[in-house]
Structure formats: structure tokens, C-alpha cells
Amino acid sequence: MTETEIDVIIPVYKPGEELRLLLQRLMCQTLKPSRILLVNTEEEFFDKQCTEGIDNVDVIHISKQSFNHGGTRHMAAMELSGEFILFMTQDAMPYDDTLLEELHRPFSEERVCAAYARQLPRPECSVLEQYTRSFNYGEQSRIKAAEDMQELGIKTFFCSNVCAMYRRSEYEALGGFERKTIFNEDMIFAGRLVQNGKAIAYCAEAKVIHSHNYSSLQQFHRNFDLGVSQAEHPEIFSGVRSEGEGIRMVKQTAAWLIKTGKPYLLPKLAAQSGAKYLGYRMGKQYKKLPDRVVKWCTMSPSYWE
């Protein structure tokens, strides 16, 4: 085994041509993956043409009921043995051929045990989402550790399995991802890394194309689940400054809209920001809500069954 042996894990559902293009781009990297493991939900929806002619790709089929953001990824990780594990989503596209090389670079520093990529917006991405991407995924790389908590607050733990690489030895030493979590398994694990004296690298040079055009209601559902994930893990998130970062993003977005001649988008910003905050606060207090309300608020009703 060499120190550049990288396994890639991608959960997929109803994959199509976009997945085939993703696999092709992964195999054209300057630092090539050793193996690619697809974890497909619902075998009857899997298009075998996605993987035809592409080397080193294996597929595991699972039922929709058995999928879990943390448990499914952990199961896949235990099927492989590479020194590094790269988790991606099927809708994240490598921007160029140096993605794996750039993500791997920070691991030369021993305390770095996770590294995540910069996310660039798709061409059809909304104006507000474009700015959100630039706010959360800036142009400057940074290594984050416990000493940054005072400055960064909860953003110290920020890490995204849209495209994130982990050092296997530390992943296994800390028990891997939570087996049952509504989502946010990446930040929960990153929080454990920081608490154990390790560091997380944000790699601005490692780039994927990935964005969503969520409606205000979808933002509400997503942030409800975010609040739930934090409430379920007080050992990670309790006492960590979190809401200030959201307020800062809203203020900066509003100023940017005015500066760039788009003040007509301020009402939309207010609606989306309000939906995010309300969803997050309700998620943090989910234990006080009736079951029927929780199931309406969540993006993942199957989690509650």
C-alpha cells in the first residue's frame, strides 16, 4: 500500500449520464483513485451503462429503507482498504484533473485528517446561491483546528461530504461516521477530529461543480434537519457559537446585492433567510414538537419511522 492509495465512495440513486461523466473525470485525474465504490439505492433504477468500460468501479445495491447518511457511507468504507477515503455525491463534478491531487496535498501535515473541496456554482445556479457558494467556499485555503474555535465558532467543524477526503487510520480510530444520523455526518465526525487534537483542511485549489436552487420551503426542511443533527449531538455542538455566521452571511449578501444593482432580490433573501432560521430553531427544539409536526418539517421523513 502506498500513501497515495485513495478509495472513492459515492452513494447514488437513479444515476444517469452525469454519473458516467463523473466517473470518467475521476479516472482522468493526475492522482488516480485505486477503487471507486458506488452504493446504489434501489437496484432496479441502476443504469449499468453508467459504469461500462470504466475500470476499478464496483457497485453495492441497498434498499431505500436501509440508506442512512452516516451508516451507509461507513458500511462502504469498511468494504475498502485504501489509506485515504474520498466521499463524493453523484451531483458533484470535478472542475479539473487535479482534484484528488489537491485534496491529498494537505495530508502531508500529520495532524490533518480530513480535507474538503471548494464548491463552485453550476451555470444555471441562482444569483443568491452563487453568492452563498462564494461565502462558504472562498478562494483561500485554510487548516482549521481547536485553536480556531474562538475565531470561527462552528465553522471550525465545517466539512462537506459532497467532496471530502479522510485519513483512514484516524477515521477508524474515532469509530467513523455516526451509524444513524439524519444528515450532517461529515461535521459530526469533523467535530470529533478537532476535539481529539486533529485538523481539517479546506482546499480551495480542489474544486467541484455543485450547487442547488432550493426554494424557501426546501431551505426550511434542510435547516430543520441541520438543527436536529446538532441537537442530537450536544457533545459536539453544545456551547459552540453557530448563529453568528448565518447572520454575517445575510448581511454580506444584502450588501452585495445592493452593490451589484440587484436590490430587487432583497425580499427573496429575507424570505430564504427567515425560512432557514425558523427551520434551524425548530430543529434544535424538535423534542418539544408533536410527531406529525416533525414529519412535516423534516427533509427525511423515513428517519423518524
Side-chain angles (χ1 to χ4, degrees):
M1 182 184 295
T2 68
E3 65 177 9
T4 55
E5 187 172 4
I6 300 169
D7 294 327
V8 181
I9 295 170
I10 310 173
V12 299
Y13 179 63
K14 295 185 178 180
E17 184 58 32
E18 188 175 46
L19 176 63
R20 182 171 179 79
L21 180 57
L22 166 57
L23 296 175
Q24 289 174 338
R25 290 196 181 184
L26 286 174
M27 296 312 299
C28 290
Q29 293 288 303
T30 53
L31 182 57
K32 289 179 171 52
S34 300
R35 291 180 65 191
I36 301 173
L37 180 59
L38 307 179
V39 185
N40 176 65
T41 304
E42 306 294 6
E43 186 170 0
E44 63 268 30
F45 296 128
F46 187 79
D47 183 355
K48 293 181 180 179
Q49 292 184 347
C50 293
T51 59
E52 283 184 1
I54 301 175
D55 296 333
N56 300 328
V57 178
D58 297 307
V59 184
I60 294 175
H61 298 286
I62 63 172
S63 67
K64 192 172 183 179
Q65 292 72 27
S66 65
F67 176 82
N68 181 269
H69 285 275
T72 298
R73 286 178 169 87
H74 180 75
M75 174 273 293
M78 295 301 98
E79 293 290 322
L80 303 170
S81 59
E83 187 177 353
F84 297 94
I85 316 167
L86 172 60
F87 292 94
M88 295 186 70
T89 56
Q90 71 186 76
D91 59 347
M93 192 64 62
Y95 177 77
D96 55 27
D97 62 0
T98 63
L99 174 66
L100 270 67
E101 183 179 347
E102 294 295 348
L103 271 179
H104 179 261
R105 195 181 304 279
F107 289 96
S108 60
E109 186 172 333
E110 188 175 345
R111 66 171 182 160
V112 172
C113 294
Y116 65 101
R118 183 182 183 189
Q119 296 182 29
L120 302 174
R122 295 172 178 269
E124 68 275 16
C125 183
S126 70
V127 171
L128 289 178
E129 180 66 9
Q130 286 179 33
Y131 189 82
T132 299
R133 291 287 137 182
S134 67
F135 181 89
N136 288 328
Y137 301 94
E139 297 179 355
Q140 297 299 317
S141 296
R142 177 164 187 169
I143 292 177
K144 303 176 295 181
E147 60 266 24
D148 300 302
M149 291 286 292
Q150 187 65 34
E151 176 193 353
L152 298 178
I154 200 167
K155 205 163 185 179
T156 309
F157 301 157
F158 190 76
C159 184
S160 175
N161 275 346
V162 164
C163 185
M165 188 180 292
Y166 299 84
R167 193 188 300 273
R168 174 178 286 277
S169 58
E170 198 63 26
Y171 177 86
E172 293 182 351
L174 294 182
F177 297 134
E178 282 292 305
R179 306 303 187 267
K180 188 175 190 297
T181 177
I182 196 164
F183 91 141
N184 211 26
E185 77 291 336
D186 34 26
M187 281 188 68
I188 294 167
F189 184 76
R192 289 205 184 100
L193 283 175
V194 171
Q195 289 176 347
N196 281 271
K198 305 301 182 181
I200 303 156
Y202 166 57
C203 303
E205 297 79 17
K207 294 170 282 191
V208 292
I209 301 169
H210 177 266
S211 59
H212 294 287
N213 287 325
Y214 286 138
S215 66
S216 292
L217 184 57
Q218 288 172 316
Q219 297 280 16
F220 171 88
H221 292 317
R222 189 176 188 279
N223 279 266
F224 178 84
D225 289 354
L226 176 63
V228 168
S229 73
Q230 292 188 15
E232 288 185 332
H233 292 280
E235 77 281 5
I236 302 293
F237 300 106
S238 179
V240 180
R241 178 172 53 83
S242 60
E243 294 173 18
E245 189 67 12
I247 294 170
R248 188 169 74 89
M249 184 174 73
V250 173
K251 288 181 177 179
Q252 288 194 14
T253 306
W256 178 78
L257 288 174
I258 293 169
K259 181 180 178 180
T260 56
K262 301 180 181 69
Y264 57 88
L265 288 175
L266 288 173
K268 185 175 181 180
L269 172 64
Q272 288 195 356
S273 301
K276 288 180 181 179
Y277 182 73
L278 180 61
Y280 175 74
R281 293 306 305 170
M282 290 181 69
K284 292 276 281 189
Q285 302 296 321
Y286 80 94
K287 292 180 181 179
K288 298 179 181 179
L289 301 176
D291 288 347
R292 68 181 186 280
V293 174
V294 169
K295 288 183 177 180
W296 183 87
C297 291
T298 185
M299 214 174 191
S300 309
S302 61
Y303 178 76
W304 305 94
E305 295 174 357

